[in-house]
């Protein structure tokens, strides 16, 4: 009986996972013989002798047969198997999932830079959907969706009443159609209702700007297939702009706020741009021998110029790899707010009939061996996102404004380094306080560097 059970379980397991099998099969515990097309006797024998959890698999087969035969509505074996696989993966962690042929095609669109939807990176959380970050220029960003928002209702459907994968599918749709999201935001006392019009998302992963003729600013919104190449181009453009102003790029702010991540090798290559040598990141799976190290090559594109990296709670995955490498190698200052903490590696596997699966195989570790998963990257200097009225806060009375003031006693010129600040830079204090403070921090690093070089 034991041998029969193991053979039956082996056959059952193989048949359920064989997407090439197009024939329907009725599987019951009492059935004395099950014929599985396209499975060799050798494969069945190997599976039968493996250390399988027999009782649990028999329980699965029993539930499968009960639902197939007696569920209130007719349901196909394919639907039951697919649902079982979805549950198997989603029950492990928020990032493991099964894709049918249609959803798998959409997954592969992420790195191309053009796709339809709301433009948000999401993760499942207790049956709800958490926004990791909205993409720059996306419908979600324009509608006011923020990193950390928790979606509890899509149109009139409560998210917890449906499968998370189905809820995510409901966010997708034809360009121009509207979806109404009900969200919970930590700073609000009651849920918010936000309508969002779907559109084709054409992402520009990198934007560069020269502030006050000598301070570089690059915004990286996500890691796509050519992000490292685009980063080089953006820095070259900043250098050309500075040369035209008869100056140089004295330092750089790399803005990774609300960057949900993307392609791993691009995170490694971008980190490598700023590092001369040493470890960038390593991955470690269950097997100690599975460790993979990613090491920097000689050459710093900034030639040692000060670097400030801005992060916040919407910075995840690849963003955290870059921030962790820069921080551990003491190459720059990490400023802003603690990052999201998504430090796991997912492998994507092609299955039959255009289907696929994604599951977690390893964790990311910074050069000093810190796990990013669940911890995130803490900034060296915390910069909170604040609303600041610089006009109201800068109306000070100085000595020069006082009547009967004493005149200065000497006209000796003061040899002190100062940084001129344009109206646009001062305006950042109101429009983007974190960037404004990062700019001041960069100036401080440049000042200290200049002082040390002159000593």
């Amino acid at each position: 009986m034991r041998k029969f059970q193991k053979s039956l379980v082996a056959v059952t397991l193989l048949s359920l996972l064989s997407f090439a099998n197009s024939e329907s099969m009725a599987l019951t515990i009492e059935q004395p013989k099950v014929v599985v097309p396209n499975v060799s006797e050798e494969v069945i024998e190997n599976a039968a002798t493996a250390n399988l959890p027999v009782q649990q698999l028999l329980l699965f087969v029993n539930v499968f047969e009960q639902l197939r035969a007696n569920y209130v509505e007719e349901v196909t074996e394919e639907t039951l198997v697919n649902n079982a696989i979805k549950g198997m993966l989603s029950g492990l962690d928020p990032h493991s999932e099964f894709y049918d042929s249609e959803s798998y095609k959409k997954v592969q669109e992420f790195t191309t830079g053009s796709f339809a939807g709301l433009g948000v990176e999401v993760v499942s959380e207790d049956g709800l959907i958490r926004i990791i970050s909205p993409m720059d220029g996306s419908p979600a960003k324009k509608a006011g969706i923020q990193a950390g928002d928790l979606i509890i209702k899509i149109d009139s459907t409560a998210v917890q009443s449906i499968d998370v994968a189905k809820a995510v599918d409901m966010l997708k749709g034809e360009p121009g159609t509207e979806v109404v999201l009900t969200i919970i935001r930590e700073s609000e006392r009651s849920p918010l209702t936000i309508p969002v019009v779907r559109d084709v998302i054409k992402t520009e992963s990198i934007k560069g700007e020269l502030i006050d003729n000598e301070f570089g600013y690059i915004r990286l919104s996500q890691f796509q297939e050519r992000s490292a190449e685009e980063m080089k181009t953006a820095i070259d453009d900043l250098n050309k702009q500075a040369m035209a102003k008869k100056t140089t790029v004295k330092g750089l702010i790399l803005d990774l706020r609300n960057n949900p991540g993307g392609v791993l090798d691009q995170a490694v290559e971008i980190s490598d741009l700023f590092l001369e040598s040493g470890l960038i990141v390593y991955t470690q799976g269950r097997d100690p021998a599975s460790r993979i190290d990613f090491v920097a090559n000689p050459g710093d594109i900034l030639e040692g110029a000060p670097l400030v990296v801005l992060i916040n709670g919407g910075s995840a995955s690849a963003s955290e790899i870059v921030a962790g490498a820069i921080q551990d190698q003491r190459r720059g200052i990490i400023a802003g707010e603690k990052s999201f903490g998504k430090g796991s590696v997912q492998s994507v596997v092609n299955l039959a009939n255009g289907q696929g699966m994604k599951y977690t195989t390893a964790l990311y570790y910074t050069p000093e061996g810190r796990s990013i998963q669940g911890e995130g990257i803490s900034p060296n200097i915390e910069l909170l996102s604040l609303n600041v009225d610089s006009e109201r806060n800068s109306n000070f009375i100085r000595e020069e404004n006082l009547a009967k003031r004493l005149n200065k006693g000497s006209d000796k010129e003061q040899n002190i380094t100062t940084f001129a600040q344009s109206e646009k830079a001062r305006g950042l204090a109101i429009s983007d306080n974190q960037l404004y403070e990062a700019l001041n921090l960069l100036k401080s690093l440049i000042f200290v560097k200049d002082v040390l070089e002159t000593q």
Side-chain angles (χ1 to χ4, degrees):
M1 179 63 182
R2 179 70 174 177
K3 183 177 181 180
F4 164 72
Q5 285 184 339
K6 293 182 73 174
S7 298
L8 175 60
V9 170
V11 172
T12 300
L13 182 62
L14 287 168
S15 63
L16 292 180
L17 297 181
S18 177
F19 291 94
N21 176 22
S22 60
E23 298 184 22
S24 300
M25 295 178 295
L27 304 177
T28 64
I29 296 177
E30 295 77 19
Q31 191 170 337
K33 184 178 181 181
V34 179
V35 178
V36 184
N38 303 326
V39 180
S40 68
E41 292 183 5
E42 181 181 359
V43 172
I44 295 175
E45 182 63 27
N46 290 339
T49 57
N51 185 22
L52 297 174
V54 177
Q55 295 302 321
Q56 286 78 10
L57 290 173
L58 288 173
L59 175 62
F60 172 82
V61 174
N62 191 11
V63 173
F64 177 90
E65 177 61 18
Q66 289 289 333
L67 293 175
R68 187 195 65 79
N70 301 317
Y71 186 66
V72 64
E73 296 178 353
E74 185 175 352
V75 58
T76 66
E77 287 89 347
E78 180 182 7
T79 298
L80 289 174
V81 171
N82 285 353
N83 288 342
I85 297 172
K86 289 177 183 178
M88 186 190 311
L89 288 164
S90 64
L92 296 174
D93 63 70
H95 308 291
S96 298
E97 54 187 314
F98 170 74
Y99 303 112
D100 59 28
S101 57
E102 182 178 351
S103 60
Y104 192 44
K105 287 180 182 178
K106 294 178 180 178
V107 167
Q108 297 177 63
E109 292 174 349
F110 177 75
T111 61
T112 63
S114 179
F115 49 94
L118 303 184
V120 290
E121 177 78 1
V122 300
V123 64
S124 62
E125 183 175 309
D126 298 328
L128 300 175
I129 298 175
R130 175 79 68 179
I131 302 292
I132 296 179
S133 64
M135 298 175 185
D136 287 356
S138 66
K141 185 82 169 182
K142 294 175 182 177
I145 298 296
Q146 298 180 9
D149 286 348
L150 198 62
I151 302 176
I152 62 174
K153 188 186 292 185
I154 303 173
D155 290 327
S156 60
T157 303
V159 173
Q160 282 190 323
S161 68
I162 56 177
D163 180 78
V164 172
K166 183 177 180 180
V168 172
D169 284 339
M170 290 178 65
L171 298 177
K172 306 168 186 175
E174 294 297 320
T177 59
E178 183 181 81
V179 59
V180 178
L181 306 180
T182 303
I183 66 167
I184 295 176
R185 183 174 295 165
E186 187 175 350
S187 60
E188 301 292 337
R189 293 184 178 181
S190 58
L192 303 175
T193 301
I194 302 178
V196 186
V197 178
R198 301 179 181 93
D199 200 354
V200 174
I201 311 300
K202 294 183 179 179
T203 59
E204 297 179 11
S205 66
I206 289 183
K207 296 179 181 178
E209 181 181 358
L210 191 64
I211 302 176
D212 291 348
N213 299 331
E214 52 190 6
F215 308 111
Y217 169 75
I218 291 182
R219 163 72 181 151
L220 177 59
S221 60
Q222 62 177 308
F223 292 79
Q224 297 179 347
E225 291 175 350
R226 298 179 62 253
S227 291
E229 183 180 337
E230 291 174 1
M231 178 71 72
K232 292 179 187 177
T233 301
I235 292 175
D236 287 343
D237 288 344
L238 293 178
N239 286 324
K240 291 176 182 177
Q241 292 177 43
M243 289 178 61
K245 301 288 185 179
K246 297 182 178 180
T247 183
T248 60
V249 177
K250 294 185 175 181
L252 178 70
I253 299 172
L254 177 58
D255 190 351
L256 299 180
R257 291 174 298 173
N258 296 322
N259 182 322
V263 184
L264 169 62
D265 63 359
Q266 295 302 296
V268 172
E269 288 186 32
I270 287 175
S271 300
D272 194 4
L273 290 177
F274 306 108
L275 299 173
E276 286 283 359
S277 61
L279 190 61
I280 294 173
V281 67
Y282 69 90
T283 63
Q284 179 68 65
R286 183 169 58 184
D287 184 353
S290 66
R291 172 168 167 163
I292 302 175
D293 290 3
F294 298 87
V295 180
N297 298 300
D300 176 357
I301 196 170
L302 295 180
E303 299 181 348
L307 174 65
V308 175
V309 180
L310 265 177
I311 61 172
N312 64 4
S315 305
S317 190
S319 297
E320 296 171 295
I321 290 174
V322 174
I326 298 299
Q327 188 176 57
D328 281 7
Q329 292 241 29
R330 276 62 172 179
R331 174 59 186 88
I333 298 292
I334 309 302
E337 300 168 273
K338 190 174 182 179
S339 64
F340 182 79
K342 197 275 184 183
S344 57
V345 182
Q346 280 71 47
S347 295
V348 178
V349 178
N350 297 321
L351 302 175
N353 301 325
Q355 297 167 311
M357 65 180 286
K358 178 180 70 172
Y359 67 106
T360 303
T361 54
L363 297 179
Y364 291 120
Y365 293 87
T366 70
E368 292 187 349
R370 295 181 294 150
S371 174
I372 296 172
Q373 178 60 29
E375 294 295 328
I377 300 296
S378 295
N380 299 111
I381 297 178
E382 186 176 25
L383 300 177
L384 299 179
S385 180
L386 303 171
N387 293 321
V388 179
D389 188 341
S390 62
E391 297 286 339
R392 188 167 56 190
N393 292 337
S394 61
N395 293 327
F396 296 106
I397 301 297
R398 296 178 172 83
E399 175 76 13
E400 65 186 36
N401 303 123
L402 300 179
K404 301 180 181 179
R405 67 183 182 278
L406 294 174
N407 292 324
K408 60 183 179 179
S410 172
D411 287 329
K412 184 177 180 181
E413 183 178 351
Q414 298 183 33
N415 185 21
I416 297 176
T417 300
T418 59
F419 296 105
Q421 193 173 67
S422 65
E423 286 294 330
K424 183 175 183 179
R426 283 193 291 271
L428 290 174
I430 299 175
S431 63
D432 191 341
N433 177 254
Q434 284 182 320
L435 178 54
Y436 177 76
E437 294 298 341
L439 180 60
N440 289 332
L441 177 58
L442 182 64
K443 291 177 180 178
S444 299
L445 294 174
I446 294 170
F447 175 76
V448 172
K449 182 175 181 289
D450 289 345
V451 168
L452 293 176
E453 289 178 348
T454 56
Q455 289 181 346

